[in-house]
Coordinates of all heavy atoms in Angstrom, one line a residue:
A44 N -8.8 55.9 54.6 CA -9.4 55.6 53.3 C -8.4 55.0 52.4 O -8.6 54.0 51.7 CB -10.1 56.8 52.7
V45 N -7.1 55.6 52.4 CA -6.1 55.1 51.6 C -5.7 53.7 52.0 O -5.4 52.8 51.2 CB -4.8 56.1 51.6 CG1 -3.6 55.4 50.9 CG2 -5.2 57.4 50.9
L46 N -5.5 53.5 53.3 CA -5.2 52.2 53.8 C -6.2 51.2 53.4 O -5.9 50.0 53.0 CB -5.0 52.3 55.3 CG -3.8 53.1 55.8 CD1 -3.7 53.1 57.4 CD2 -2.5 52.5 55.3
I47 N -7.4 51.5 53.6 CA -8.5 50.6 53.2 C -8.5 50.3 51.7 O -8.6 49.1 51.3 CB -9.9 51.2 53.6 CG1 -10.0 51.2 55.1 CG2 -11.0 50.3 53.1 CD1 -11.2 52.0 55.7
A48 N -8.3 51.4 50.9 CA -8.2 51.2 49.5 C -7.0 50.3 49.1 O -7.1 49.5 48.2 CB -8.2 52.5 48.7
G49 N -5.9 50.6 49.7 CA -4.7 49.8 49.4 C -4.9 48.4 49.8 O -4.4 47.5 49.1
A50 N -5.5 48.2 50.9 CA -5.7 46.8 51.3 C -6.6 46.1 50.4 O -6.4 44.9 50.0 CB -6.3 46.7 52.8
A51 N -7.6 46.8 49.9 CA -8.6 46.2 48.9 C -7.8 46.0 47.6 O -8.0 44.9 47.0 CB -9.7 47.2 48.7
A52 N -7.0 46.9 47.2 CA -6.2 46.7 45.9 C -5.3 45.6 46.0 O -5.1 44.8 45.1 CB -5.5 48.0 45.6
G53 N -4.6 45.4 47.2 CA -3.7 44.3 47.4 C -4.5 43.0 47.4 O -4.0 42.0 46.8
A54 N -5.6 43.0 48.0 CA -6.4 41.8 48.0 C -6.8 41.4 46.6 O -6.9 40.2 46.2 CB -7.6 41.9 48.9
W55 N -7.2 42.5 45.8 CA -7.6 42.2 44.4 C -6.4 41.7 43.6 O -6.5 40.8 42.9 CB -8.1 43.5 43.8 CG -8.5 43.4 42.4 CD1 -9.6 42.9 41.8 CD2 -7.6 43.7 41.3 NE1 -9.6 42.9 40.4 CE2 -8.3 43.4 40.1 CE3 -6.3 44.2 41.2 CZ2 -7.8 43.6 38.8 CZ3 -5.8 44.4 39.9 CH2 -6.5 44.1 38.7
A56 N -5.2 42.4 43.8 CA -4.1 42.1 42.9 C -3.5 40.7 43.2 O -3.1 40.0 42.3 CB -3.0 43.2 43.1
Y57 N -3.5 40.3 44.5 CA -2.9 39.1 44.9 C -3.9 38.0 45.1 O -3.5 36.9 45.7 CB -2.0 39.3 46.1 CG -0.8 40.1 45.8 CD1 -0.8 41.5 46.1 CD2 0.3 39.5 45.3 CE1 0.4 42.3 45.8 CE2 1.5 40.3 45.0 CZ 1.5 41.6 45.3 OH 2.6 42.4 45.0
G58 N -5.1 38.2 44.8 CA -6.1 37.1 44.9 C -5.8 36.0 44.0 O -5.5 36.2 42.8
G59 N -5.9 34.7 44.4 CA -5.7 33.5 43.6 C -4.2 33.3 43.5 O -3.3 34.0 44.0
D60 N -3.8 32.2 42.7 CA -2.4 31.8 42.5 C -1.8 32.6 41.4 O -0.5 32.9 41.4 CB -2.3 30.3 42.2 CG -2.8 29.5 43.4 OD1 -2.5 29.8 44.5 OD2 -3.4 28.4 43.1
V61 N -2.5 33.0 40.4 CA -1.9 33.7 39.2 C -2.1 35.2 39.4 O -3.2 35.6 39.7 CB -2.6 33.2 37.9 CG1 -2.0 34.0 36.7 CG2 -2.5 31.7 37.7
P62 N -1.0 36.0 39.4 CA -1.2 37.4 39.5 C -2.2 38.0 38.5 O -2.3 37.6 37.4 CB 0.2 37.9 39.3 CG 1.1 36.8 39.5 CD 0.3 35.6 39.1
R63 N -2.9 39.1 39.0 CA -3.9 39.8 38.2 C -3.2 40.3 36.9 O -2.0 40.7 36.9 CB -4.5 40.9 38.9 CG -5.3 40.5 40.1 CD -6.7 39.9 39.7 NE -7.5 39.5 40.9 CZ -8.7 39.1 40.8 NH1 -9.3 38.9 39.6 NH2 -9.4 38.7 41.9
G64 N -3.9 40.3 35.8 CA -3.5 40.9 34.6 C -2.6 40.0 33.8 O -1.9 40.4 32.8
T65 N -2.5 38.7 34.1 CA -1.6 37.7 33.5 C -2.4 36.9 32.5 O -3.4 36.3 32.9 CB -0.9 36.8 34.5 OG1 -0.2 37.7 35.4 CG2 0.1 35.9 33.8
S66 N -1.9 36.8 31.3 CA -2.6 35.9 30.3 C -1.5 35.1 29.6 O -0.4 35.4 29.5 CB -3.3 36.8 29.2 OG -2.4 37.6 28.5
V67 N -2.0 33.9 29.1 CA -1.2 33.0 28.3 C -2.0 32.7 27.0 O -3.1 32.2 27.1 CB -0.9 31.7 29.1 CG1 -0.1 30.7 28.2 CG2 -0.1 32.0 30.3
L68 N -1.4 32.9 25.8 CA -2.0 32.6 24.5 C -3.4 33.3 24.4 O -4.3 32.7 23.9 CB -2.1 31.1 24.3 CG -0.8 30.4 24.1 CD1 -1.0 28.9 24.1 CD2 -0.1 30.8 22.8
G69 N -3.5 34.5 25.0 CA -4.8 35.2 24.9 C -5.8 34.8 25.9 O -6.9 35.4 25.9
V70 N -5.5 33.9 26.8 CA -6.4 33.5 27.8 C -6.1 34.1 29.2 O -5.0 34.0 29.7 CB -6.4 31.9 28.0 CG1 -7.4 31.5 29.1 CG2 -6.7 31.2 26.7
D71 N -7.0 35.0 29.7 CA -6.7 35.7 31.0 C -6.8 34.7 32.1 O -7.9 34.1 32.4 CB -7.8 36.8 31.1 CG -7.5 37.7 32.4 OD1 -6.4 37.4 33.0 OD2 -8.3 38.6 32.6
L72 N -5.7 34.5 32.8 CA -5.6 33.6 34.0 C -5.5 34.4 35.3 O -5.4 33.7 36.3 CB -4.4 32.7 33.8 CG -4.3 31.9 32.5 CD1 -3.1 31.0 32.5 CD2 -5.6 31.0 32.3
G73 N -5.5 35.7 35.2 CA -5.3 36.5 36.4 C -6.3 36.2 37.5 O -7.5 36.2 37.3
G74 N -5.8 36.1 38.8 CA -6.7 35.9 39.9 C -7.2 34.5 40.1 O -7.9 34.2 41.0
M75 N -6.8 33.6 39.2 CA -7.3 32.2 39.3 C -6.4 31.3 40.2 O -5.2 31.6 40.3 CB -7.4 31.6 37.9 CG -8.5 32.2 37.0 SD -8.6 31.3 35.4 CE -9.8 32.3 34.6
S76 N -7.0 30.3 40.7 CA -6.3 29.3 41.4 C -5.5 28.5 40.3 O -5.9 28.5 39.1 CB -7.2 28.3 42.2 OG -8.0 27.6 41.3
R77 N -4.5 27.7 40.7 CA -3.8 26.9 39.7 C -4.7 25.9 39.0 O -4.6 25.8 37.8 CB -2.7 26.1 40.4 CG -1.8 25.4 39.4 CD -0.7 24.6 40.1 NE 0.3 24.2 39.1 CZ 1.5 24.7 38.9 NH1 1.9 25.7 39.7 NH2 2.3 24.3 38.0
T78 N -5.6 25.3 39.7 CA -6.5 24.3 39.1 C -7.4 25.0 38.1 O -7.6 24.6 37.0 CB -7.4 23.6 40.2 OG1 -6.5 22.9 41.0 CG2 -8.3 22.6 39.5
D79 N -8.0 26.2 38.5 CA -8.9 26.9 37.6 C -8.1 27.4 36.4 O -8.6 27.4 35.2 CB -9.6 28.1 38.3 CG -10.6 27.6 39.3 OD1 -11.0 26.4 39.2 OD2 -11.0 28.3 40.2
A80 N -6.9 27.9 36.6 CA -6.1 28.4 35.5 C -5.7 27.3 34.5 O -5.8 27.5 33.2 CB -4.8 29.0 36.0
E81 N -5.4 26.1 35.0 CA -5.1 25.0 34.0 C -6.4 24.6 33.2 O -6.3 24.3 32.1 CB -4.6 23.8 34.8 CG -3.2 24.0 35.4 CD -2.8 22.8 36.3 OE1 -3.6 21.9 36.4 OE2 -1.6 22.8 36.7
R82 N -7.5 24.6 33.9 CA -8.8 24.3 33.2 C -9.1 25.4 32.2 O -9.5 25.0 31.0 CB -9.9 24.2 34.2 CG -11.2 23.8 33.6 CD -12.4 23.7 34.6 NE -12.1 22.7 35.6 CZ -11.8 23.1 36.9 NH1 -11.9 24.4 37.3 NH2 -11.6 22.2 37.8
A83 N -8.9 26.6 32.5 CA -9.2 27.7 31.6 C -8.3 27.7 30.4 O -8.7 27.9 29.2 CB -9.1 29.1 32.3
L84 N -7.0 27.4 30.6 CA -6.0 27.3 29.5 C -6.3 26.2 28.6 O -6.3 26.3 27.3 CB -4.6 27.3 30.0 CG -3.5 27.3 29.0 CD1 -3.6 28.6 28.2 CD2 -2.1 27.2 29.6
T85 N -6.7 25.0 29.2 CA -7.0 23.8 28.4 C -8.2 24.1 27.6 O -8.3 23.8 26.4 CB -7.2 22.6 29.3 OG1 -6.0 22.4 30.0 CG2 -7.6 21.4 28.5
N86 N -9.3 24.7 28.1 CA -10.5 24.9 27.4 C -10.3 26.0 26.3 O -10.9 25.9 25.3 CB -11.6 25.3 28.4 CG -12.0 24.2 29.3 OD1 -11.8 23.0 29.0 ND2 -12.6 24.5 30.4
G87 N -9.5 27.0 26.7 CA -9.3 28.1 25.7 C -8.4 27.8 24.5 O -8.7 28.3 23.4
V88 N -7.4 26.9 24.8 CA -6.4 26.7 23.7 C -6.5 25.3 23.2 O -6.1 25.0 22.1 CB -5.0 27.0 24.2 CG1 -4.0 26.8 23.1 CG2 -5.0 28.4 24.7
G89 N -7.0 24.3 24.0 CA -7.0 22.9 23.6 C -7.5 22.6 22.2 O -6.8 21.8 21.5
P90 N -8.6 23.1 21.8 CA -9.0 22.8 20.4 C -8.0 23.2 19.3 O -8.0 22.6 18.2 CB -10.3 23.6 20.2 CG -10.8 23.8 21.6 CD -9.6 24.0 22.5
R91 N -7.1 24.2 19.6 CA -6.2 24.6 18.6 C -4.9 23.7 18.5 O -4.1 23.8 17.6 CB -5.7 26.0 18.8 CG -6.9 27.0 18.9 CD -6.5 28.4 18.6 NE -5.4 29.0 19.4 CZ -5.5 29.7 20.4 NH1 -6.8 30.0 20.9 NH2 -4.5 30.2 21.1
T92 N -4.7 22.8 19.5 CA -3.5 22.1 19.6 C -3.4 21.0 18.5 O -2.4 20.4 18.3 CB -3.3 21.4 21.0 OG1 -4.5 20.6 21.3 CG2 -3.2 22.5 22.1
S93 N -4.5 20.7 17.8 CA -4.5 19.8 16.7 C -4.2 20.5 15.4 O -4.0 19.8 14.4 CB -5.8 19.0 16.6 OG -6.9 19.9 16.4
H94 N -4.1 21.8 15.4 CA -3.9 22.5 14.2 C -2.5 22.5 13.7 O -1.6 22.5 14.6 CB -4.3 24.0 14.3 CG -5.8 24.2 14.6 ND1 -6.4 25.4 14.8 CD2 -6.8 23.3 14.6 CE1 -7.7 25.3 15.0 NE2 -8.0 24.0 14.9
P95 N -2.2 22.4 12.4 CA -0.8 22.4 12.0 C -0.2 23.8 12.2 O -0.9 24.8 12.3 CB -0.9 22.0 10.5 CG -2.3 22.5 10.1 CD -3.1 22.3 11.3
V96 N 1.1 23.9 12.1 CA 1.8 25.2 12.1 C 2.3 25.5 10.7 O 2.8 24.7 10.0 CB 3.0 25.1 13.1 CG1 4.0 24.0 12.8 CG2 3.7 26.5 13.2
A97 N 2.0 26.7 10.3 CA 2.5 27.2 9.0 C 3.9 27.5 9.0 O 4.4 28.2 10.0 CB 1.6 28.4 8.5
V98 N 4.7 27.1 8.0 CA 6.1 27.3 8.0 C 6.5 27.9 6.6 O 6.0 27.6 5.6 CB 6.9 26.0 8.2 CG1 8.4 26.2 8.1 CG2 6.5 25.4 9.5
S99 N 7.5 28.9 6.7 CA 8.1 29.4 5.5 C 9.6 29.1 5.6 O 10.3 29.7 6.5 CB 7.8 30.9 5.3 OG 8.6 31.4 4.2
L100 N 10.1 28.2 4.9 CA 11.5 27.7 5.0 C 12.2 28.1 3.7 O 12.0 27.5 2.6 CB 11.6 26.2 5.3 CG 13.0 25.6 5.2 CD1 13.9 26.3 6.3 CD2 12.9 24.1 5.5
A101 N 13.1 29.0 3.8 CA 13.9 29.4 2.6 C 13.0 29.7 1.4 O 13.4 29.4 0.3 CB 15.0 28.4 2.3
G102 N 11.9 30.4 1.7 CA 11.0 30.8 0.6 C 9.9 29.8 0.3 O 9.0 30.0 -0.5

Side-chain angles (χ1 to χ4, degrees):
V45 169
L46 292 175
I47 293 172
W55 175 86
Y57 288 97
D60 295 322
V61 182
R63 295 285 182 176
T65 303
S66 64
V67 176
L68 292 170
V70 180
D71 185 3
L72 307 180
M75 294 185 182
S76 68
R77 185 181 192 107
T78 300
D79 289 343
E81 290 178 357
R82 184 182 299 113
L84 185 59
T85 299
N86 293 338
V88 182
R91 304 204 305 264
T92 58
S93 62
H94 295 178
V96 58
V98 179
S99 174
L100 172 58

